[in-house]
Amino acid sequence: MTTEELVANVEKALEEIRPFLNSDGGDITLISIEEDKHVIVRLEGACTTCSVNQMTLKAGVETTIKKYAPQIETVVNIE
């Protein structure tokens, strides 16, 4: 998979999860993909102060991204 395809697949995954975040007043932005296996995102809006944002990141965002791009090992939120 090329870097461009990887970015496109990660963006597709974020588009799938974005409506759930938007419904709670939040959003997510892809910042970068490091070494083709580490995704850096920024949780925004209500997601920044949500007490379960780490659970959302791992159970929701990371799981969805891995469905589209199985080679991804980690998803990290920067603040």
Side-chain angles (χ1 to χ4, degrees):
M1 181 178 297
T2 67
T3 300
E4 292 79 19
E5 291 170 325
L6 180 59
V7 170
N9 283 352
V10 170
E11 287 288 2
K12 282 184 207 170
L14 295 181
E15 286 303 317
E16 182 176 310
I17 201 155
R18 189 167 276 123
F20 300 102
L21 299 176
N22 292 162
S23 70
D24 287 329
D27 205 350
I28 190 166
T29 300
L30 175 63
I31 302 302
S32 66
I33 301 174
E34 309 286 325
E35 301 172 16
D36 288 345
K37 60 185 176 183
H38 305 290
V39 174
I40 312 299
V41 297
R42 179 181 296 123
L43 290 170
E44 299 171 342
C47 291
T48 59
T49 57
C50 179
S51 62
V52 294
N53 68 8
Q54 286 306 306
M55 188 172 65
T56 298
L57 190 67
K58 294 295 177 192
V61 177
E62 188 171 284
T63 301
T64 304
I65 287 174
K66 286 180 177 181
K67 181 171 73 173
Y68 285 87
Q71 72 271 39
I72 296 300
E73 294 177 7
T74 61
V75 177
V76 177
N77 177 50
I78 62 166
E79 302 193 11

